[in-house]
Amino acid sequence: MSPTSETAREGRRLVIVESPAKAKTIKGYLGPGYVVEASVGHIRDLPGTAAEVPDGYTGEVRRLGIDVEHDFEPVYVVNADKKAQVAKLKSLLKDADELFLATDEDREGEAIAWHLQEVLRPKVPVHRMVFHEITKDAIQAAVNNPRELNKRLVDAQETRRILDRLYGYEVSPVLWKKVMPKLSAGRVQSVATRLVVERERERMAFRSASYWDLTAVFSSATATEGDPGTFGARLSSVDGRRVAAGRDFDSLGRLKAGSAQVLHLDEEAARALAAGLAGADFRVRSVESKPYRRSPYAPFRTTTMQQEAGRKLGFGAKRAMDVAQKLYENGFITYMRTDSTTLSETAVNAARAQVEQLYGREYLPDAPRVYTGKVKNAQEAHEAIRPSGDRFRTPAETGLRGDEFRLYELIWMRTVASQMKDAVGQSVTVKVGGTATDARTATTRDVEFSATGKIITFHGFLKAYVEGRDDPDAELDDRERRLPPVAEGDALGAEEINPDGHATKPPARFTEASLIKDLEDREIGRPSTYAAIIDTIVARRYVFKKGTALVPSFLALAVVRLLEEHFGRLVDYDFTAKMENDLDGIARGEGASVPWLRRFYYGEAAQGDVGPSAADAGNGDGDHLGGLKELVTDLGAIDAREISSFPLGDSGIVLRVGRYGPYVEKGEQRADVPDELAPDELTVELAEELLAKPSGVRELGTDPVSGNEIVAKDGRYGPYFTEVLPEGTPKTGKNAVKPRTQSLLSTMSLDTVTLEDALKVFGLPRIVGADPEGVEISAQNGRYGPYLKKGTDSRSLENEEQMFTVTLEEALAIYATPKARGRAAAKPPLKELGTDPVSERPVVVKDGRFGAYVTDGETNATLRREDSVEEITPERGYELLAEKRAKGPVKKTAKKAPAKKATAKKAPAKKAATAKKAPAKKAAATKATADGAAATGSAAAKAAVKKATVKKTAAKTVAAEAGTAKKAATVQASAAE
């Protein structure tokens, strides 16, 4: 951008933000004289692999990226995929007279600003520019009122980063050795997994209790027009004893202590009681009326927004944050990572003006409502999440569509409702009494029914917004239950009296919304990172989704057991919350980073250190008084087999978590456990069923040619034939011999296949003959079925048997027929889900080339591993489609250069490969960081080599999109957890 003559005299200002989208929006507000450029998230970080550590570092520093012996000095390296961007920023800085660091106004943003200053080393004045909304007024006010960099926030963020690197890189290798390779541990990741596992343990230990009561429908003769003539009631007491309800039973299905005066009705007693009430007279015994009042909910902060987006819109936490990120960057809402419920005076005035405009003055309270954040250590400099600007745009005025419209509407409604009057009304409780006669004993029993009602006389804020509930059966705040106007002593008629059976239910599994709420209530982690944490534990296969419920895998059971028994303090909820408080104390200047890290890592406080005892850094069971370093040094006490073994009662059956997945074992019997099975569903009966199935290995006989034994096995990818090579056969090296292996045909069953079947399949591909030109034709079995192959020309066969029977004449006839073009007739849908709320098109589940998928005719989304055609819900289908839409269209791979130009293109291709390889390394490092784990770079390196032909410009585009605003920061933030 070339400055005008006027701005040239005033100087040229470089403004650095985090994302290209934000840069584009802000540039429009600042105008000439300002160059706005994005850092695209973090520009440097701790090294992801030892290869990234600069020369000169050795030993532990090379492994950890931190010099633990010299005040925990971090080794920061510029991310390989950011070197070009850093060079661009340095070039722009040369022509600038001032530098404005305009990253987000939280600890993560402060740290990014500090890293920028450290790497760019500006020789011009540097200003920290902060704002909580991207509007013209807010941006210009931020430019005119900069502040200094807050080093305390930087120190706190650095301490988090170092802590999580130490935690992940020291604890994760223990999991590799004792449970399974490539696992990860993290400060909040592991605690979140433990919460999900503990809930599943409660479900596994749960025993259901049955109980009965009566429901009745009474009619009133006093009902007037407009009032209900009947109302429902439930039996509450018999002979003065309260009838047992679900809350009176413990998790083992027994009445709780202190429930001796509670009457537990079984089915027989309930039916006898109902029969004894036939023809009985009923009267109103009491009517109790109380005023009802409900105040508005506070405006959204990060976690409440995530929870409500989950309940009302079906968004996962990550999806909610991604949509909110776009709304913020495009100037529609204020900053979406906040712990505060505070609204600025500008926002309050805007909300009150909209209340009066849309609902009328009678809905506007006399004085503005003030909300104070209840979250401990909330950064009150932030506002709550609200529509941006000094006048709120209604959803219709925004021009938004799809997910962005729906989330903006939610935020707008919540903010406006927060400045409205209370909802008021009356709640009523009616007691109805009668006498039951037992015909068998000629005795009578006094019974009492209870009914509750609620009438809202003034809806107040409920006109604009009603909060959702995690429990789908819970009653919402705006739900009315009207009762007829009855008075004490009124006679009632009984239209129905029915026995009603119930069974206690196990505690509900966590959803994303309820897990976030629990983490926040326990003060564990930071709200801004919860979405990344949940994403991580799902990606690491510790947790999978069943509908909206979070279900722990058997792998998670083994990992949590190891951490609880040998690193108890590290996954203790109170200790983790205390660590969070300590880190916040460092941000407030109440503590020092290095002494705190020394106590955590080495245990005993160094001379002169003041702080928690060594036990605070050790294991909660008292076995260790040292810090983390001592905990991971001696692993001899950890029995890997015991950690991964879970007996199923006294049945003699043991569930084991093996390298290739969970299985059950009883003596010599062994059977794999389905990956999608929830732990509380693995009963002794189911285990017996699994063990009773064929073992998965059948000896078929000896190959008459090779003399090797042939067996049929059930593998991870289906049943197959293989030969058993003699002992001593080399398995590695240049003389290695691999056994013949072939999948069973689709018409074959593992229970019935024979040696002849195996030898028949081993004979594939079968040479059919040669065409008149001498080109060989063979019959083969492929991924998509049987086919003929002649050179590069292939033709499908009608069935598998044809592979063994097709003659040369038949093959030539097939090739003489023109090859069919176009698609085959579409298969009918497997399931219909309904109408997508975004595209408003019918959504169905179809069977595709790569498995089942959902589609609305425009967007296709493959079902995940945890999804099944039978159990997938419409909401889950809509969520998969929304996630696919959010990713945007798949980018086409650049076409390869013609073969004759390969030599000329060689150098640029190598350069492109290098450019692409760096981001792949960064991806591996970021992923390990997000888990707080010791990452391996090999997989990322392979992925980078595989994609080496992608052009450098495409790599830059992908990097820019992946780094929009806080996406890169979110991944980095997850490392802080």
Side-chain angles (χ1 to χ4, degrees):
M1 179 189 301
S2 300
T4 64
S5 57
E6 180 180 353
T7 55
R9 290 194 300 271
E10 295 178 355
R12 184 184 177 94
R13 297 172 173 180
L14 173 62
V15 180
I16 302 179
V17 297
E18 292 173 80
S19 79
K22 191 190 299 183
K24 182 179 179 181
T25 306
I26 292 175
K27 187 181 295 184
Y29 293 141
L30 291 177
Y34 291 89
V35 177
V36 186
E37 186 58 53
S39 67
V40 195
H42 278 270
I43 61 166
R44 71 171 185 171
D45 193 11
L46 297 173
T49 64
E52 295 180 18
V53 179
D55 294 338
Y57 291 101
T58 58
E60 287 290 272
V61 183
R62 198 161 194 83
R63 180 175 72 89
L64 297 173
I66 299 167
D67 191 345
V68 295
E69 296 179 359
H70 295 88
D71 291 343
F72 297 88
E73 186 69 28
V75 178
Y76 288 120
V77 295
V78 174
N79 303 334
D81 62 328
K82 297 296 174 62
K83 288 183 178 179
Q85 190 66 14
V86 169
K88 181 178 181 180
L89 293 174
K90 286 182 176 179
S91 176
L92 293 173
L93 186 58
K94 289 179 182 179
D95 299 325
D97 299 299
E98 288 182 278
L99 173 62
F100 287 82
L101 300 174
T103 50
D104 291 336
E105 59 165 336
D106 57 9
R107 293 172 191 140
E108 189 76 15
E110 207 73 17
I112 293 175
W114 176 75
H115 282 293
L116 283 166
Q117 185 170 302
E118 291 291 301
V119 172
L120 300 179
R121 299 191 177 280
K123 297 178 181 178
V124 297
V126 180
H127 310 288
R128 179 74 171 100
M129 173 180 162
V130 293
F131 44 87
H132 67 275
E133 62 180 0
I134 303 178
T135 59
K136 185 172 184 178
D137 290 343
I139 296 303
Q140 291 180 346
V143 168
N144 296 328
N145 298 280
R147 63 167 170 80
E148 296 296 319
L149 200 67
N150 189 331
K151 194 60 171 67
R152 291 188 310 187
L153 290 181
V154 175
D155 288 344
Q157 187 61 30
E158 270 200 292
T159 308
R160 286 172 185 273
R161 188 69 190 89
I162 294 169
L163 165 67
D164 291 316
R165 171 56 64 95
L166 295 175
Y167 191 122
Y169 273 49
E170 293 289 17
V171 180
S172 296
V174 179
L175 302 182
W176 303 348
K177 295 174 184 176
K178 300 297 182 179
V179 181
M180 187 185 294
K182 298 182 181 180
L183 297 180
S184 69
R187 179 168 56 91
V188 178
Q189 168 197 320
S190 297
V191 173
T193 304
R194 184 188 177 199
L195 281 169
V196 178
V197 166
E198 284 197 333
R199 181 62 56 87
E200 195 71 11
R201 287 172 180 164
E202 292 175 20
R203 292 175 62 87
M204 293 165 72
F206 178 80
R207 297 295 178 268
S208 183
S210 65
Y211 61 96
W212 287 70
D213 58 16
L214 304 180
T215 58
V217 176
F218 296 111
S219 60
S220 170
T222 61
T224 58
E225 187 176 351
D227 292 317
T230 62
F231 65 97
R234 187 172 293 278
L235 181 68
S236 57
S237 68
V238 177
D239 292 334
R241 294 176 65 188
R242 182 171 63 82
V243 175
R247 64 181 181 275
D248 296 308
F249 297 89
D250 62 18
S251 62
L252 298 179
R254 303 170 303 196
L255 280 172
K256 294 178 180 177
S259 299
Q261 298 303 312
V262 174
L263 176 63
H264 182 192
L265 290 178
D266 58 18
E267 182 177 4
E268 182 181 1
R271 293 191 181 281
L273 196 60
L277 287 170
D281 294 327
F282 293 93
R283 289 190 176 275
V284 177
R285 289 186 175 174
S286 67
V287 178
E288 183 182 1
S289 180
K290 294 180 179 178
Y292 165 83
R293 180 174 291 273
R294 184 72 172 84
S295 296
Y297 323 101
F300 280 138
R301 58 182 190 276
T302 301
T303 53
T304 53
M305 181 196 72
Q306 290 171 345
Q307 291 168 51
E308 275 291 83
R311 298 178 190 124
K312 288 184 176 297
L313 308 180
F315 290 2
K318 183 178 184 300
R319 182 176 166 196
M321 292 303 288
D322 287 346
V323 176
Q325 181 81 48
K326 293 177 184 177
L327 290 174
Y328 167 63
E329 289 177 352
N330 290 297
F332 289 104
I333 64 171
T334 54
Y335 190 53
M336 68 289 160
R337 289 183 177 85
T338 174
D339 302 336
S340 174
T341 55
T342 302
L343 287 177
S344 66
E345 184 179 351
T346 300
V348 169
N349 292 336
R352 287 175 62 84
Q354 209 145 56
V355 170
E356 185 172 359
Q357 175 189 350
L358 298 175
Y359 299 99
R361 179 169 289 277
E362 65 270 24
Y363 284 88
L364 189 67
D366 295 334
R369 291 186 181 273
V370 178
Y371 296 91
T372 55
K374 67 176 182 179
V375 178
K376 191 175 182 181
N377 299 315
Q379 300 181 59
E380 293 296 342
H382 292 169
E383 272 197 86
I385 304 171
R386 64 165 177 87
S388 60
D390 56 7
R391 179 196 172 276
F392 295 166
R393 285 170 282 186
T394 64
E397 292 175 327
T398 62
L400 294 168
R401 296 184 61 191
D403 287 353
E404 291 178 41
F405 176 88
R406 296 165 71 203
L407 186 58
Y408 178 86
E409 183 181 45
L410 197 69
I411 294 168
W412 173 80
M413 288 191 299
R414 178 88 167 212
T415 309
V416 171
S418 73
Q419 291 300 318
M420 295 175 72
K421 283 185 176 180
D422 292 350
V424 295
Q426 293 287 323
S427 61
V428 181
T429 302
V430 176
K431 300 286 187 181
V432 179
T435 302
T437 303
D438 190 333
R440 297 171 301 175
T441 61
T443 57
T444 59
R445 308 187 74 177
D446 180 77
V447 298
E448 189 170 88
F449 289 82
S450 179
T452 59
K454 181 176 71 175
I455 300 174
I456 301 176
T457 56
F458 179 73
H459 279 75
F461 76 95
L462 294 176
K463 278 283 188 182
Y465 188 85
V466 181
E467 187 170 78
R469 292 287 182 268
D470 290 321
D471 181 358
D473 298 325
E475 188 173 86
L476 299 180
D477 286 334
D478 66 339
R479 192 69 52 82
E480 288 190 319
R481 297 184 307 280
R482 301 183 72 89
L483 298 179
V486 295
E488 187 175 330
D490 284 356
L492 300 176
E495 297 196 354
E496 291 181 24
I497 297 179
N498 299 307
D500 194 8
H502 311 273
T504 55
K505 296 179 181 180
R509 289 191 176 101
F510 282 109
T511 61
E512 288 196 22
S514 59
L515 180 58
I516 286 171
K517 185 177 187 304
D518 203 29
L519 288 169
E520 186 176 39
D521 289 345
R522 294 174 184 270
E523 299 176 1
I524 293 172
R526 301 304 307 175
S528 60
T529 63
Y530 291 153
I533 291 300
I534 293 174
D535 202 40
T536 296
I537 63 178
V538 172
R540 292 291 182 181
R541 296 190 300 118
Y542 292 147
V543 170
F544 63 93
K545 286 188 177 181
K546 202 166 187 179
T548 59
L550 298 176
V551 185
S553 63
F554 291 102
L555 173 63
L557 266 62
V559 168
V560 169
R561 181 174 180 179
L562 185 151
L563 294 174
E564 286 177 333
E565 294 182 6
H566 299 278
F567 300 92
R569 178 69 77 167
L570 296 183
V571 289
D572 178 78
Y573 303 133
D574 292 336
F575 176 67
T576 306
K578 184 178 181 301
M579 278 201 294
E580 201 66 57
N581 190 47
D582 290 344
L583 291 168
D584 288 330
I586 293 172
R588 295 190 299 268
E590 298 168 3
S593 173
V594 172
W596 191 90
L597 286 169
R598 189 179 295 123
R599 285 193 296 274
F600 173 77
Y601 193 67
Y602 290 113
E604 294 291 347
Q607 186 174 3
D609 283 355
V610 178
S613 66
D616 281 331
N619 203 12
D621 57 15
D623 291 340
H624 300 278
L625 293 180
L628 176 64
K629 184 63 176 175
E630 183 178 337
L631 284 174
V632 299
T633 300
D634 182 12
L635 305 179
I638 302 177
D639 185 329
R641 186 173 177 82
E642 181 183 350
I643 284 293
S644 298
S645 301
F646 302 89
L648 297 183
D650 300 325
S651 63
I653 302 174
V654 179
L655 168 82
R656 300 195 192 281
V657 180
R659 181 178 292 263
Y660 302 109
Y663 61 92
V664 286
E665 188 176 62
K666 185 177 184 180
E668 296 297 318
Q669 290 181 286
R670 177 183 291 194
D672 290 337
V673 173
D675 287 339
E676 67 277 6
L677 185 70
D680 75 333
E681 295 173 3
L682 182 60
T683 61
V684 173
E685 293 74 22
L686 178 57
E688 293 282 9
E689 280 183 37
L690 294 171
L691 291 167
K693 290 182 179 180
S695 64
V697 179
R698 289 190 63 226
E699 297 180 3
L700 302 179
T702 304
D703 184 343
V705 177
S706 67
N708 294 333
E709 183 183 357
I710 306 297
V711 298
K713 292 185 175 182
D714 192 7
R716 293 184 71 187
Y717 305 106
Y720 64 98
F721 298 114
T722 186
E723 63 179 334
V724 181
L725 299 177
E727 285 191 30
T729 302
K731 297 180 180 179
T732 58
K734 62 180 181 179
N735 297 321
V737 178
K738 291 185 177 181
R740 289 177 295 167
T741 300
Q742 288 279 10
S743 296
L744 270 66
L745 302 183
S746 62
T747 55
M748 296 178 177
S749 168
L750 186 64
D751 301 333
T752 59
V753 289
T754 64
L755 176 62
E756 289 70 24
D757 293 329
L759 297 177
K760 187 178 178 181
V761 173
F762 278 144
L764 295 174
R766 168 178 162 257
I767 304 302
V768 177
D771 70 358
E773 285 76 32
V775 180
E776 187 176 82
I777 301 175
S778 61
Q780 306 189 25
N781 196 23
R783 181 177 182 183
Y784 306 112
Y787 66 99
L788 292 174
K789 185 175 182 181
K790 184 180 74 167
T792 58
D793 192 359
S794 60
R795 301 296 176 92
S796 297
L797 293 172
E798 293 180 3
N799 54 62
E800 292 173 331
E801 186 60 30
Q802 272 191 291
M803 293 188 293
F804 309 103
T805 61
V806 66
T807 64
L808 178 60
E809 290 74 19
E810 291 170 338
L812 292 174
I814 291 173
Y815 274 104
T817 304
K819 195 169 187 178
R821 299 293 178 186
R823 298 184 178 181
K827 298 179 181 178
L830 304 177
K831 190 174 185 179
E832 296 180 356
L833 299 181
T835 302
D836 186 274
V838 177
S839 67
E840 298 183 349
R841 297 168 65 95
V843 177
V844 296
V845 183
K846 288 190 173 184
D847 186 16
R849 187 175 178 183
F850 302 106
Y853 65 97
V854 292
T855 179
D856 64 353
E858 293 180 345
T859 305
N860 301 336
T862 304
L863 266 61
R864 308 288 172 77
R865 187 183 67 173
E866 64 269 18
D867 299 317
S868 68
V869 175
E870 296 74 22
E871 297 183 1
I872 189 169
T873 62
E875 293 72 19
R876 176 59 176 160
Y878 307 153
E879 180 183 2
L880 290 172
L881 289 173
E883 289 177 358
K884 187 64 181 290
R885 291 189 199 100
K887 292 180 181 178
V890 178
K891 289 186 168 49
K892 295 182 179 179
T893 308
K895 293 182 179 179
K896 293 183 179 179
K900 64 181 181 179
K901 295 184 179 182
T903 305
K905 295 277 186 179
K906 188 173 183 181
K910 185 175 181 181
K911 183 177 182 182
T914 306
K916 187 65 183 175
K917 188 173 182 180
K921 284 186 177 181
K922 169 60 182 172
T926 307
K927 191 172 184 180
T929 303
D931 299 321
T936 58
S938 60
K942 289 177 182 177
V945 172
K946 187 175 180 180
K947 296 182 179 179
T949 57
V950 179
K951 292 183 179 180
K952 186 174 182 181
T953 54
K956 286 183 178 179
T957 302
V958 174
E961 291 178 352
T964 54
K966 200 76 177 185
K967 276 190 179 179
T970 299
V971 180
Q972 294 291 350
S974 68
E977 307 303 337

